[in-house]
Amino acid sequence: MVAEVSEPVTGGAAPLLAAAGLRKTFGGGLPGARPALDGVDLTLARGDFVVIIGSNGAGKSTLLNSIAGSFLLDAGRITLAGQDITRLAGHRRAGLITRVFQDPMIGTAAEMTIEENLALAERRGARRGLRMNLNAARRDVYRELLKPLALGLEDRLTAQVALLSGGQRQALSLIMAVMSKPQLLLLDEHTAALDPRTAGLVMEATERVVRENKLTALMVTHNMRQAIETGNRLIMMDAGRIRDDIGGAEKTSLTAADLVEKFKIDNDRMLLGA
Ligand SMILES: Nc1ncnc2c1ncn2[C@@H]1O[C@H](COP(=O)(O)OP(=O)(O)OP(=O)(O)O)[C@@H](O)[C@H]1O
Ligand SMILES: [Mg+2]
């Protein structure tokens, strides 16, 4: 019999991301300080779309920040595509790992135009000195990237980003985050500040760009519906640790009732989403 080659065998191919024993305590290790990361192990296969849930202060953002290189860990090791990045400075990971944050103001440069922002994002991780080349051909590419967002941004390339709504800026941030085809896309509650309709549009765009670019993604959310409907794995964090990691058929068939039951989730703290 001829073996099927399409399905990756779990444990077979080298993981895209391997984080082991991550520990971080803020506050200079003062006595009594609780670790923000208390021994986190996380392995992502290429193409994984992993959703992280957990209450406020569970360590979700700290985990993403540690992967992005915002600070040095107290202990642990992170490899990305086989490269040890544990001590690699954050800015040197920028071509490998990109992020979209909750705050729409963070991902874009307000004083610059949409096309200037896109040109900057395109050069992310590229060698210094590469000139920003804004010609008609690039503008056509940018329009094609913006069109599927259905926000009309493709007709506003020369508009200042400061003039855009939060949702429009967030959608632009997302496009900018994937332009350089990063190895890993980190999304930290990137739709939480948007109204339900716009949040839905940005989520749709997120799933599309991840699929089209065959990206690996790690997304934090407090929205239970997103946690159920998005991704192929769901991780629950609590007190700096990963408490559960659900994948495969269990993730596919997960319901809101399952989540409440499984994690004894405080309904008031988890948004059911619109
Ligand atoms: N830069 C920092 N300096 C000091 N303490 C920090 C820093 N970043 C995070 N912490 C602390 O680490 C713990 C985990 O915070 P983190 O932001 O990772 O939580 P979270 O799961 O993202 O929560 P939320 O759902 O509220 O965003 C918290 O106690 C927080 O106060
Ligand atoms: Mg957070």
Side-chain angles (χ1 to χ4, degrees):
M1 234 176 86
V2 180
E4 291 273 347
V5 287
S6 56
E7 262 314 278
V9 181
T10 312
L16 175 77
L17 179 92
L22 306 190
R23 289 187 189 279
K24 180 72 185 178
T25 304
F26 291 105
L30 289 172
R34 273 198 325 122
L37 293 180
D38 192 12
V40 169
D41 299 321
L42 175 66
T43 302
L44 301 184
R46 270 178 208 281
D48 262 350
F49 192 145
V50 178
V51 179
I52 305 181
I53 59 171
S55 54
N56 295 126
K60 306 179 297 297
S61 295
T62 306
L63 174 58
L64 265 55
N65 291 339
S66 71
I67 294 169
S70 305
F71 51 76
L72 284 180
L73 290 155
D74 299 338
R77 182 162 180 258
I78 304 176
T79 61
L80 184 73
Q83 183 191 357
D84 189 334
I85 60 165
T86 313
R87 306 193 73 81
L88 191 68
H91 70 273
R92 298 195 52 206
R93 302 184 198 189
L96 306 169
I97 301 172
T98 57
R99 298 204 263 182
V100 185
F101 298 91
Q102 180 173 345
D103 183 351
M105 303 303 143
I106 295 180
T108 47
E111 301 306 315
M112 296 170 76
T113 65
I114 292 179
E115 63 183 17
E116 286 167 349
N117 271 272
L118 288 167
L120 267 185
E122 205 171 12
R123 295 188 323 153
R124 200 192 318 256
R127 285 196 317 278
R128 273 168 189 275
L130 209 66
R131 264 172 35 93
M132 195 175 348
N133 201 5
L134 257 175
N135 53 30
R138 287 328 295 159
R139 292 192 170 102
D140 283 344
V141 170
Y142 296 166
R143 279 190 204 98
E144 290 310 309
L145 285 173
L146 296 171
K147 230 182 248 172
L149 297 173
L151 293 169
L153 297 182
E154 65 276 15
D155 300 322
R156 301 176 64 188
L157 285 185
T158 55
Q160 233 189 21
V161 164
L163 303 174
L164 304 182
S165 73
Q168 289 169 336
R169 278 182 81 155
Q170 209 58 338
L172 179 61
S173 300
L174 175 72
I175 297 300
M176 289 168 64
V178 301
M179 275 183 101
S180 58
K181 300 250 188 320
Q183 297 272 353
L184 179 62
L185 174 66
L186 303 176
L187 307 162
D188 195 349
E189 299 190 49
H190 72 305
T191 66
L194 310 180
D195 68 66
R197 188 184 152 272
T198 312
L201 285 175
V202 172
M203 247 345 277
E204 261 175 46
T206 304
E207 299 203 66
R208 182 178 53 78
V209 296
V210 167
R211 193 176 55 241
E212 286 177 359
N213 295 289
K214 298 189 172 59
L215 298 178
T216 307
L218 201 49
M219 177 179 92
V220 174
T221 185
H222 283 285
N223 183 310
M224 221 195 290
R225 177 172 292 201
Q226 281 182 4
I228 289 165
E229 292 178 352
T230 316
N232 64 315
R233 265 171 78 189
L234 177 67
I235 282 175
M236 158 73 171
M237 282 190 76
D238 180 45
R241 295 186 182 176
I242 291 178
R243 296 287 173 185
D244 217 324
D245 188 341
I246 301 168
E250 193 185 352
K251 168 70 176 81
T252 314
S253 60
L254 203 66
T255 65
D258 293 336
L259 268 188
V260 172
E261 167 62 24
K262 195 167 179 59
F263 301 128
K264 305 283 180 275
I265 279 169
D266 180 344
N267 272 317
D268 295 337
R269 286 194 294 176
M270 280 292 276
L271 301 171
L272 273 163

